Amino acid sequence: MDLSQGKFIDVGGIRTRYFEAGTGPNVVLFHGGNFGSLDGADCAADWNLNFAGLSKSCHVVAIDKIGQGETDNPKTDDAYTMQSVTDHALGCLDALGLEDCHIIGHSRGAYLACRMTLENPARIASTIMVDT
């Protein structure tokens, strides 16, 4: 994954970074971590060892979750919630026009993938949770 190839979209007023490559079924990757990680390392680039391989047979998208990586922080203090993370992630799917998604979440991103599936099962083809 070439970090200089990140793209940005607006998701409900939140500038959001994502990486995208390949064609085929939609595979969306969500990294772990949470707001305010001390080292700031939790971001979509965590998928760099998987991204190129997946893009050979899939349309793969890796997204910086709200308040992490190069995605903006929530707009208000009371928006630092898991519901905000879930709403933002589902908003990313809307903004990118993604349906019938296979979502993969690592660690805290696995929790997000589970929540997304429970809240909007019609658009999720499958859910994979890694290292929960």
Side-chain angles (χ1 to χ4, degrees):
M1 173 184 292
D2 181 352
L3 294 181
S4 68
Q5 298 301 310
K7 301 176 184 180
F8 290 87
I9 54 171
D10 181 276
V11 179
I14 303 293
R15 184 175 183 259
T16 302
R17 182 178 73 164
Y18 70 101
F19 298 89
E20 177 178 39
T23 59
N26 293 317
V27 174
V28 184
L29 308 171
F30 292 100
H31 60 85
N34 200 15
F35 307 112
S37 298
L38 294 178
D39 61 7
D42 294 319
C43 68
D46 289 352
W47 294 101
N48 67 333
L49 296 177
N50 311 96
F51 194 81
L54 287 169
S55 70
K56 290 178 183 176
S57 60
C58 303
H59 172 231
V60 61
V61 178
I63 300 169
D64 279 349
K65 296 186 309 183
I66 189 171
Q68 293 183 263
E70 292 187 30
T71 293
D72 288 346
N73 291 326
K75 298 288 184 195
T76 63
D77 288 347
D78 61 343
Y80 281 86
T81 65
M82 197 61 207
Q83 188 62 55
S84 291
V85 176
T86 304
D87 292 344
H88 176 262
L90 289 168
C92 288
L93 300 185
D94 290 338
L96 293 168
L98 299 176
E99 295 291 334
D100 198 31
C101 298
H102 302 275
I103 55 175
I104 304 172
H106 173 254
S107 190
R108 186 109 175 164
Y111 179 74
L112 169 61
C114 182
R115 290 273 305 258
M116 291 173 70
T117 303
L118 291 171
E119 290 191 21
N120 202 333
R123 75 180 328 158
I124 309 300
S126 68
T127 303
I128 298 171
M129 298 181 285
V130 180
D131 195 22
T132 63

